[in-house]
Amino acid sequence: MEEGKVKTSELVEYYQFDDEGYYIGPVSVQIVNGEPLLPPNVTPTPPPQPQDASEEDVSFNWNGESWSVEVDPTTCEEFVGVVIDHYSDTPHDIKLREKLQKALEKGGSDYREGRGEDLSWYVEVVTEEEKAANEANAALSDFDSQLSSIKSRMELANLMNDTEQMEALRGEYRTLMGLDAQSAD
């Protein structure tokens, strides 16, 4: 072979991971003159096959020597303490953001989405004090709505000079305000 001429090359499969070590997928690596032209973050070692879960339920992480299998969080409780970069578009972070959103949809009122100053995603536990405050606000909102309804209907009854309706609305008002219970005491 002439000097300076490149020998024909072949392609072999390597396995790429992101900057945090999470598996991205297979990548073809060119072998030129017996040496692989390696892109960053690849290994010739394939990730293991998951034993008791599908690949959608686990993540593979390269520690520099071998792959570890991590079960992905799927419930709000499991997501507490996990922070996901908002700007990352790695398959691992995209998958975790989707799972976090699904977990929050099922999580009920005990959890909520939290966002960091850098827009990172995480799950927060709603405290008992916050739940009590939310219930109080809901009750106050309901009370305000009922009072507003009585007021609007009272104005219409007054405009129509409907004394029977006005008297009925006064009764609703007294009941809403708890005045009937007070006068019975």
Side-chain angles (χ1 to χ4, degrees):
M1 175 154 106
E2 293 179 37
E3 192 173 316
K5 232 179 179 192
V6 176
K7 184 178 173 184
T8 58
S9 64
E10 61 180 290
L11 295 176
V12 294
E13 192 170 81
Y14 271 60
Y15 304 91
Q16 191 170 31
F17 49 89
D18 64 24
D19 289 339
E20 294 179 3
Y22 288 102
Y23 180 61
I24 294 175
V27 62
S28 293
V29 171
Q30 189 175 18
I31 307 292
V32 177
N33 295 332
E35 293 294 320
L37 300 176
L38 295 177
N41 298 341
V42 296
T43 178
T45 307
Q49 294 298 317
Q51 297 293 323
D52 298 326
S54 71
E55 284 192 34
E56 291 82 37
D57 298 332
V58 297
S59 294
F60 304 107
N61 190 272
W62 181 254
N63 66 13
E65 296 179 12
S66 64
W67 292 103
S68 63
V69 179
E70 298 175 6
V71 177
D72 293 333
T74 56
T75 65
C76 288
E77 185 176 46
E78 292 169 351
F79 268 106
V80 171
V82 175
V83 178
I84 307 166
D85 185 336
H86 175 73
Y87 298 104
S88 172
D89 62 353
T90 65
H92 178 255
D93 286 343
I94 291 169
K95 176 172 75 167
L96 284 185
R97 282 194 297 266
E98 289 171 357
K99 287 185 175 208
L100 183 142
Q101 288 175 322
K102 287 179 184 175
L104 285 167
E105 288 171 7
K106 297 176 187 175
S109 61
D110 293 337
Y111 300 92
R112 70 168 168 259
E113 178 183 311
R115 298 301 285 268
E117 287 184 21
D118 60 354
L119 301 179
S120 57
W121 300 46
Y122 54 91
V123 171
E124 293 179 321
V125 177
V126 177
T127 65
E128 291 302 318
E129 293 82 17
E130 289 175 288
K131 287 180 191 176
N134 289 340
E135 288 174 14
N137 284 335
L140 185 57
S141 178
D142 182 52
F143 175 83
D144 287 345
S145 177
Q146 290 180 49
L147 190 58
S148 179
S149 172
I150 291 172
K151 180 182 175 192
S152 296
R153 291 182 291 144
M154 182 65 87
E155 288 172 351
L156 183 59
N158 190 32
L159 184 64
M160 297 176 69
N161 202 21
D162 186 345
T163 54
E164 188 175 309
Q165 179 66 17
M166 287 172 49
E167 196 55 42
L169 289 168
R170 281 188 190 100
E172 271 188 59
Y173 175 78
R174 291 183 63 76
T175 301
L176 179 64
M177 300 305 284
L179 298 174
D180 289 338
Q182 288 178 359
S183 62
D185 290 339

